[in-house]
Amino acid sequence: MSELTAPPTDHTLALREEFRHHLEMFYAQLKLAPPYESVEKAIRSLTTSIHALPPLERASLATDATARWQHFRQAFESSGLSKKHRGIIAGLARNRSSLNLPAEYDLFLSLYLS
């Protein structure tokens, strides 16, 4: 009897769920309603960019937080999320110390300060 080798794991679903969680946390901490249509667009954008990667690079996103957050930021920006609530979030981002957000979220906040 031969053993079957497991197919390579596709981390796309886990990355999508992680990104969704970060977006929900981002808007919850800022006390803003997330622009749902743009959130879904951002998740689709992330999925597209992940699927465009070579398999090894795609797999490395599971363990490389820096690369993962770069993809999250790119999807955040390309979906138009950084244009929603722009004035409110820019004002909040200028007083970064008052926000109860982990440092990784600076990748999103910096888009409002440019």
Side-chain angles (χ1 to χ4, degrees):
M1 198 174 216
S2 65
E3 286 186 36
L4 296 175
T5 50
T9 305
D10 184 0
H11 300 284
T12 306
L13 183 59
L15 291 168
R16 286 170 52 105
E17 291 309 308
E18 180 184 348
F19 185 45
R20 182 182 301 279
H21 168 77
H22 288 306
L23 293 175
E24 289 169 356
M25 185 174 166
F26 179 75
Y27 287 103
Q29 291 301 114
L30 297 178
K31 296 174 178 53
L32 294 170
Y36 292 105
E37 196 172 303
S38 294
V39 165
E40 293 306 318
K41 187 175 180 183
I43 291 168
R44 286 191 305 273
S45 175
L46 176 72
T47 303
T48 301
S49 74
I50 291 170
H51 281 281
L53 296 173
L56 284 176
E57 196 174 333
R58 190 180 317 156
S60 76
L61 289 176
T63 56
D64 185 346
T66 302
R68 196 165 55 243
W69 274 93
Q70 287 301 323
H71 281 276
F72 292 166
R73 182 185 195 276
Q74 178 186 348
F76 189 92
E77 186 173 22
S78 67
S79 67
L81 276 174
S82 60
K83 292 179 174 54
K84 308 290 181 181
H85 301 303
R86 187 157 185 87
I88 296 167
I89 296 175
L92 294 169
R94 282 189 206 97
N95 190 9
R96 175 65 175 96
S97 61
S98 70
L99 300 178
N100 188 21
L101 284 169
E104 295 87 9
Y105 291 84
D106 287 351
L107 288 169
F108 297 160
L109 292 171
S110 66
L111 294 168
Y112 293 92
L113 298 173
S114 54

